[in-house]
Amino acid sequence: MSGFDIRQDTLSYVAVGDSFTEGLDDPYPDSGTTARGHYRGWADRLAHHLTDHVSEVRYANLAVRGKLIRQIVADQVPQAVELRPDLVSICAGGNDIIRPGTDPDTVARLFADAVRRLRATGATVLIYTGVDTGFQPVMRRLRGKIATYNMHVRGIADTYECPVVDLWNMDVLRDHRAWSWDRLHLSAEGHRRLALRTCEVLGVPVQDDWNAPWPEEEPKPWRSARQEDLYWAREFLVPWIGRRLTGRSSGDGLGPKRPELERLR
């Protein structure tokens, strides 16, 4: 396993991926908006946790929403290699896996190439598995496909000696409160817990517990739950299908929110 040592004076960290790493739907509390550039997310939170232990942390987030694995490998990986950071996180392939007809074996080969190139720089490369979607009525049909991809991801991690954050076995993510209204992106609390879990994997001391039980919640009436399902289908699922049919992406025309390594204040 590639070692990661928090005991250093300076540290550079680059995050690579799609909307999951960009930080949707976790707006900065003082932004007053969820406009582009105001999302935080687990990677930003992780970078700030690192500043509690390292005098100087330089951080870049190259992730862009909607990107497929080929786009991430072609665009973000060369940028990350050029920046030559100490730590790289890569969570990629999810947008491919949820599309009909995609082959997890093919996606995994592209992912392996990305990891190989990142590890060649000497960086610690932190890898994320896919989430177990069995608790979601619509997404549960993808469970087998995600599991297949996860087996590849774990094999790639073993080959290139990479630490792994296993989202599949994070039971706290099987609660609806860990997810935003679109049921695809983490909520602010979901991002907070994932950042804490990532710190645990890296051996970065934190005070809070990512696995703390959720507060008790009253059961939701059947009618209310169905109304939420209809709202989700109208506001998210239908537009998503429309973008797939027309070849559009939510990330078209957008660049990364933190394209350069910048010191965190």
Side-chain angles (χ1 to χ4, degrees):
M1 186 69 65
S2 174
F4 177 78
D5 190 358
I6 195 65
R7 297 168 298 177
Q8 48 190 304
D9 294 327
T10 63
L11 187 147
S12 55
Y13 165 42
V14 174
V16 171
D18 50 34
S19 58
F20 192 78
T21 300
E22 184 185 339
L24 278 69
D25 283 313
D26 180 20
Y28 274 97
D30 58 352
S31 68
T33 178
T34 55
R36 176 68 177 173
H38 291 285
Y39 285 111
R40 177 168 42 181
W42 63 264
D44 286 26
R45 290 172 181 266
L46 169 61
H48 283 283
H49 281 305
L50 294 172
T51 64
D52 293 335
H53 306 280
V54 181
S55 299
E56 178 180 330
V57 174
R58 293 180 299 131
Y59 169 54
N61 190 318
L62 307 179
V64 177
R65 66 194 71 173
K67 295 303 179 182
L68 302 172
I69 186 70
R70 290 186 185 278
Q71 296 169 310
I72 292 170
V73 172
D75 299 333
Q76 297 178 32
V77 170
Q79 294 179 55
V81 168
E82 186 175 348
L83 293 172
R84 302 194 70 82
D86 302 302
L87 172 67
V88 180
S89 63
I90 178 167
C91 182
N95 286 327
D96 299 81
I97 295 300
I98 66 175
R99 293 189 175 205
T102 54
D103 177 16
D105 298 345
T106 301
V107 178
R109 283 194 291 271
L110 293 166
F111 185 81
D113 179 59
V115 173
R116 176 187 60 78
R117 291 159 63 184
L118 293 168
R119 281 290 288 132
T121 68
T124 295
V125 178
L126 182 64
I127 291 177
Y128 291 73
T129 70
V131 174
D132 183 353
T133 57
F135 71 100
Q136 293 183 337
V138 175
M139 300 289 284
R140 70 165 56 109
R141 67 187 63 185
L142 298 171
R143 195 166 184 250
K145 197 174 178 183
I146 296 170
T148 299
Y149 185 58
N150 282 351
M151 288 191 290
H152 283 298
V153 167
R154 285 195 162 280
I156 292 164
D158 289 343
T159 298
Y160 294 102
E161 300 183 307
C162 301
V164 178
V165 179
D166 185 4
L167 302 181
W168 183 274
N169 285 313
M170 285 183 67
D171 289 345
V172 294
L173 297 184
R174 297 190 182 107
D175 189 288
H176 74 94
R177 287 167 288 185
W179 300 91
S180 70
W181 70 273
D182 68 7
R183 306 180 184 180
L184 187 63
H185 299 104
L186 292 174
S187 65
E189 178 61 12
H191 280 286
R192 188 187 73 85
R193 287 174 181 259
L194 179 52
L196 293 171
R197 172 62 177 137
T198 302
C199 285
E200 182 178 77
V201 170
L202 291 174
V204 178
V206 290
Q207 292 185 344
D208 295 333
D209 180 10
W210 65 268
N211 203 27
W214 291 94
E216 289 294 327
E217 187 179 46
E218 290 292 329
K220 187 170 294 184
W222 181 88
R223 183 179 298 275
S224 176
R226 297 295 74 76
Q227 287 175 339
E228 289 185 3
D229 290 342
L230 291 172
Y231 176 81
W232 173 80
R234 182 180 70 248
E235 299 297 326
F236 174 75
L237 183 60
V238 172
W240 184 85
I241 292 173
R243 289 196 298 271
R244 300 292 77 76
L245 293 175
T246 58
R248 293 178 292 118
S249 167
S250 58
D252 287 347
L254 297 178
K257 65 179 183 179
R258 296 181 64 98
E260 302 292 339
L261 282 170
E262 297 177 350
R263 182 173 181 174
L264 292 179
R265 300 272 195 291

